Amino acid sequence: MTEPRHFSTPDWKAAGIACGLALAVYFFTLAPTITLEYSGQLVVAAHHLGGARPPGYPVWTLLAKGFIELFPFASYQGHPNPAWAVNWMSAVFGALACGLLALLVSRESRHLAPDSRSMPAANGVFAGIAAALLFALSPTMWSQATIAETHTLTAFYFLLLLALSLRWTASRNERGAYLLAFLFGFGLSISPMLVLYAPVLLLAAAFVSRPAPARLAGALALFLGFI
């Protein structure tokens, strides 16, 4: 018997629309070259595969180098401009993060509604798009999605972990637990801030482990210890 999909077609439509709209806004407001903050050192580190600042952000650096290689023709006032490609990477991952947020809000708004069966799918789609656009156009997100920075990749990965965790709590598949454990550990090479996802993951483990008291107690004990 085929397992029902956690995210339905309307959820993916909301994600696609939100991602496209956010990407368009970021593209037309993208910084043309290096800006302030850590932009200069991040672009140089990506261009030469070096370390900009602790903790180094190795995954971000490799992805940024890939974007630079994809857009070798980018120039600014007649000079090579790798900064544009890195800025564009921030926009792409920022838009993908908005798409994931729309996906989650669309699904959960219908799932948590008092009478979800009679709720039109369009309501969830509109809710997801509205939430994603509010997030995309917030001053902090918009500013980080148009310059060379690491935060949009972190936001995208955080929301990806959240989506996979919700999928796992619904399916309670053992392979999902191994996948989440691996992705959480890998995420620390993207940003050390992702360690703050640990209590969320432990609570998800406690929820899934409710039929097994020993596992439930272990997950709750780890959660309390982390806090």
Side-chain angles (χ1 to χ4, degrees):
M1 184 176 179
T2 304
E3 187 178 352
R5 293 186 300 172
H6 187 72
F7 298 107
S8 64
T9 300
D11 302 332
W12 289 108
K13 287 181 179 179
I17 293 171
C19 181
L21 290 174
L23 191 62
V25 171
Y26 295 156
F27 175 78
F28 287 110
T29 58
L30 196 68
T33 185
I34 288 174
T35 60
L36 300 176
E37 299 186 30
Y38 296 101
S39 173
Q41 60 177 287
L42 286 169
V43 171
V44 171
H47 193 42
H48 297 281
L49 290 179
R53 66 178 191 270
Y57 302 101
V59 175
W60 182 93
T61 301
L62 291 171
L63 289 171
K65 179 63 173 178
F67 270 77
I68 291 172
E69 295 298 322
L70 283 174
F71 300 98
F73 49 82
S75 63
Y76 184 72
Q77 296 183 355
H79 300 283
N81 185 27
W84 184 90
V86 183
N87 297 344
W88 177 236
M89 185 184 82
S90 293
V92 169
F93 281 108
L96 289 173
C98 296
L100 279 175
L101 181 61
L103 182 76
L104 290 167
V105 172
S106 176
R107 196 271 176 185
E108 296 305 319
S109 63
R110 291 184 294 102
H111 179 69
L112 299 176
D115 191 7
S116 57
R117 293 184 179 180
S118 62
M119 179 180 177
N123 289 6
V125 172
F126 292 143
I129 294 173
L133 291 181
L134 286 171
F135 176 63
L137 302 178
S138 63
T140 301
M141 186 63 182
W142 196 348
S143 67
Q144 298 302 300
T146 54
I147 63 174
E149 257 297 350
T150 62
H151 300 306
T152 58
L153 176 60
T154 303
F156 164 75
Y157 200 82
F158 177 86
L159 288 165
L160 178 64
L161 286 175
L162 185 58
L164 292 174
S165 297
L166 289 171
R167 179 69 182 86
W168 174 50
T169 56
S171 65
R172 305 190 180 190
N173 192 318
E174 187 176 351
R175 289 178 298 178
Y178 295 131
L179 176 63
L180 275 170
F182 169 77
L183 291 177
F184 173 71
F186 179 77
L188 299 181
S189 64
I190 294 176
S191 173
M193 289 190 297
L194 287 169
V195 73
L196 298 176
Y197 190 76
V200 180
L201 195 58
L202 290 169
L203 281 179
F207 179 82
V208 172
S209 303
R210 285 182 301 175
R215 292 183 180 181
L216 173 62
L220 289 176
L222 287 172
F223 169 75
L224 293 174
F226 185 92
I227 296 300

